[in-house]
Amino acid sequence: MTSDTTPVVELDDVHVSFTSGFGAGRRRVHAMSGVSFSVAPGETLGLVGESGSGKSTTAAVVLGLQRPDTGAVRFEGAPLARSLRSRAGRIQAVLQHPRWALDPHSTVLSCVLEPLLVHERRSSEVDDRAVAMLENVGLEASFATRRPDQLSGGQLQRVSVARALVTHPAFIVFDEAVSALDVSVQAQILNLIQDLQREHSFASLFISHDLAAVRYISHQVAVMRAGEIVELAPTGIFYDLPSHPYSRQLFQELSS
Ligand code: ADP
Ligand code: MG
């Protein structure tokens, strides 16, 4: 049985490597090397690091889309179920480009309904839940019949958040979820995520190369470099006094 102290997601010494290139150019990339962390219920772990440091691979491992070479991934205390179906809806994702993630030919309502229909038949009650979730992310019911190409980037990302939340997941991965948005819209979406986390108490992994966004939203911060987590600390401590030289360097590079 899980208790309140059981982490929602736990990675233990996870390694993932890829081979790329051909012939003499063939090489092995260590996308994740000995990555360990845990995320408690209702908490957000921020993951920062420059491009290519292994952040999205970590997201894929948490989502069960990438199997580790070695190491363990636990969800609510048990090995992450191999079957996508049994896990469906319990771990959700919000990615960078909602225009790619949402089917341009379907309505906003269908986009939000889709994850529910893995386990349930469509009914007016199910539709009502999806519309209620749209309202929960600040989109009035009239958005339900619109198509994704009629929405702004910020509105689309609200739809992505509604689609992630509609199954009441225990965990949500945000991979550069606000990075493509204008700064003022970013702030709105970050506020929304924070409010929804208080209301729905999901745990999350918030991936970004934006240190300010991560600071705002995260309870803990992990810094990734070349596949390794070089520093992991509570947000307040990390931003007051990053201890690893690379973290300090990242502060300088990313804030310049
Ligand atoms: P980030 O999200 O931090 O930019 P990624 O996790 O996407 O980093 O990538 C980490 C490293 O692994 C990079 O060197 C990338 O080129 C490599 N990589 C990621 N996915 C694959 C893949 N499917 N095949 C080969 N190399 C990959
Ligand atoms: Mg990435």
Side-chain angles (χ1 to χ4, degrees):
M1 274 279 88
T2 56
S3 69
D4 277 354
T5 52
T6 306
V8 183
V9 162
E10 203 172 2
L11 266 61
D12 188 3
D13 199 21
V14 168
H15 291 254
V16 172
S17 61
F18 299 107
T19 16
S20 62
F22 299 96
R26 199 169 166 82
R27 59 188 194 103
R28 207 158 180 75
V29 177
H30 296 279
M32 293 174 75
S33 302
V35 171
S36 302
F37 60 72
S38 65
V39 189
E43 290 218 326
T44 293
L45 172 67
L47 184 60
V48 293
E50 61 194 7
S51 178
S53 56
K55 304 184 299 297
S56 291
T57 305
T58 304
V61 164
V62 170
L63 291 165
L65 303 173
Q66 171 69 51
R67 193 98 76 73
D69 301 339
T70 60
V73 186
R74 282 183 288 276
F75 175 61
E76 297 183 325
L80 190 64
R82 298 237 169 106
S83 147
L84 277 169
R85 197 178 161 81
S86 69
R87 213 178 37 236
R90 299 291 296 147
I91 307 182
Q92 295 277 54
V94 178
L95 307 177
Q96 180 167 9
H97 295 290
R99 258 178 238 285
W100 301 347
L102 302 174
D103 179 358
H105 303 296
S106 61
T107 61
V108 164
L109 180 67
S110 304
C111 292
V112 177
L113 273 175
E114 199 188 347
L116 282 177
L117 301 182
V118 176
H119 287 303
E120 295 179 78
R121 276 171 195 282
R122 188 154 180 195
S123 66
S124 58
E125 185 271 331
V126 171
D127 279 15
D128 288 348
R129 257 190 281 156
V131 172
M133 194 50 77
L134 278 175
E135 287 172 344
N136 208 197
V137 301
L139 296 175
E140 57 194 46
S142 66
F143 276 90
T145 53
R146 296 204 206 169
R147 295 191 187 279
D149 62 6
Q150 299 172 309
L151 272 58
S152 70
Q155 289 167 340
L156 281 174
Q157 211 50 314
R158 286 175 191 268
V159 174
S160 299
V161 172
R163 177 187 156 93
L165 263 176
V166 77
T167 56
H168 297 292
F171 200 83
I172 306 181
V173 175
F174 297 92
D175 189 354
E176 304 282 5
V178 299
S179 307
L181 303 173
D182 294 343
V183 174
S184 64
V185 181
Q186 272 187 19
Q188 290 168 14
I189 301 291
L190 289 174
N191 275 323
L192 174 70
I193 293 170
Q194 212 170 42
D195 290 347
L196 292 169
Q197 187 172 39
R198 289 199 191 102
E199 192 181 334
H200 298 273
S201 67
F202 54 84
S204 76
L205 179 66
F206 186 88
I207 296 174
S208 179
H209 60 273
D210 180 348
L211 281 163
V214 166
R215 177 181 204 165
Y216 185 74
I217 202 111
S218 309
H219 302 91
Q220 299 185 83
V221 179
V223 179
M224 216 169 173
R225 181 194 196 185
E228 290 181 46
I229 289 184
V230 296
E231 179 162 4
L232 183 105
T235 304
I237 293 175
F238 176 76
Y239 282 86
D240 279 348
L241 203 67
S243 65
H244 195 280
Y246 180 70
S247 306
R248 294 198 287 268
Q249 186 191 329
L250 200 66
F251 264 106
Q252 283 171 353
E253 278 170 17
L254 298 180
S255 58
S256 61

